[in-house]
Amino acid sequence: AQKITQTQPGMFVQEKEAVTLDCTYDTSDPSYGLFWYKQPSSGEMIFLIYQGSYDQQNATEGRYSLNFQKARKSANLVISASQLGDSAMYFCAMREGMEYGNKLVFGAGTILRVKS
Amino acid sequence: DTEVTQTPKHLVMGMTNKKSLKCEQHMGHRAMYWYKQKAKKPPELMFVYSYEKLSINESVPSRFSPECPNSSLLNLHLHALQPEDSALYLCASSQKVLGEEKLFFGSGTQLSVL
């Protein structure tokens, strides 16, 4: 069964506007972590933001925020004030359990293109 | 400092060659990972080392042989690879801080098998 689902293969956004990238997940483990990574065409995977399953507040990191809706099992990434440099592939990922060195499973990714 | 360094950045090898990929981090992280990523696909886990011991092997063919000589270094030895093994190989490391464990990736080695 698919653990992480990203339903948007590609998205366009106008420069300076906000954009939401969708991510839903499936787990029965009460302890899990949710991640978003950015991968530009250069190939490096850049950590953006993390949300723990027990965190009461939505995570924020600069222009990135994670809209965590636990009951709906969704963890959407919101990028505010889009910049041309935000054009990249974005992956949502999940780790189940609290053991150190657990497997991180990725969604299929969403390609974001920022238009000037 | 969140740097994970991978060398080489690019590698071309024949099917009879033996080569190694190297990954290094000096953040004191005690878990290190190898992921394989095909073009336009998500990364797929290959191996995890936790405290220098192999803790996860995702049924990877034996032509890929991981090694963790110390807490800062992770190698992936390659032998008799197939053209379908051509991919981006990503190394990552993680450390648990206040209950949170974040994974940091290197920039990868782009491998082409001819």
Side-chain angles (χ1 to χ4, degrees), chain B residues 35-91:
Chain B
Y35 277 83
K36 173 183 176 179
Q37 186 181 24
K38 301 286 262 184
K40 301 192 190 309
K41 296 290 186 183
E44 294 179 343
L45 182 66
M46 300 175 73
F47 304 103
V48 180
Y49 274 83
S50 180
Y51 294 97
E52 295 88 67
K53 289 190 176 3
L54 183 65
S55 57
I56 298 178
N57 176 344
E58 291 284 288
S59 303
V60 179
S62 60
R63 57 186 184 268
F64 296 92
S65 175
E67 178 197 19
C68 189
N70 59 59
S71 59
S72 300
L73 193 55
L74 184 67
N75 298 320
L76 186 63
H77 303 298
L78 314 172
H79 174 53
L81 293 193
Q82 304 296 310
E84 58 264 29
D85 296 322
S86 298
L88 179 68
Y89 288 84
L90 291 161
C91 173

Side-chain angles (χ1 to χ4, degrees), chain A residues 35 37 39 42-45 47 50 55 61 89 91 95 98-108, chain B residues 30-31 33 35 37 41-43 45 48 50-51 56 58 88 90 94-96 99-103 105 107:
Chain A
F35 301 74
Y37 287 88
Q39 189 174 41
S42 57
E44 58 188 311
M45 291 283 282
F47 168 78
Y50 167 86
D55 293 343
E61 294 278 355
M89 174 75 94
F91 290 102
R95 172 189 285 120
M98 299 300 286
E99 293 80 18
Y100 185 44
N102 257 358
K103 179 177 179 176
L104 193 66
V105 178
F106 288 81
Chain B
R30 302 305 297 274
Y33 309 71
Y35 277 83
Q37 186 181 24
K41 296 290 186 183
L45 182 66
V48 180
S50 180
Y51 294 97
I56 298 178
E58 291 284 288
L88 179 68
L90 291 161
S94 69
Q95 184 68 299
K96 216 165 184 176
E100 293 185 2
E101 185 182 347
K102 299 174 186 176
L103 216 67
F105 285 84
S107 54

Side-chain angles (χ1 to χ4, degrees), chain A residues 37-91:
Chain A
Y37 287 88
K38 171 185 177 182
Q39 189 174 41
S41 55
S42 57
E44 58 188 311
M45 291 283 282
I46 302 167
F47 168 78
L48 295 179
I49 198 165
Y50 167 86
Q51 181 85 42
S53 59
Y54 297 114
D55 293 343
Q56 297 294 315
Q57 294 188 324
N58 287 345
T60 59
E61 294 278 355
R63 293 187 298 112
Y64 305 106
S65 60
L66 199 152
N67 184 0
F68 181 45
Q69 298 190 38
K70 197 169 182 176
R72 297 177 62 181
K73 294 189 175 179
S74 75
N76 298 340
L77 177 70
V78 180
I79 305 175
S80 63
S82 297
Q83 301 171 357
L84 294 177
D86 293 334
S87 293
M89 174 75 94
Y90 288 80
F91 290 102

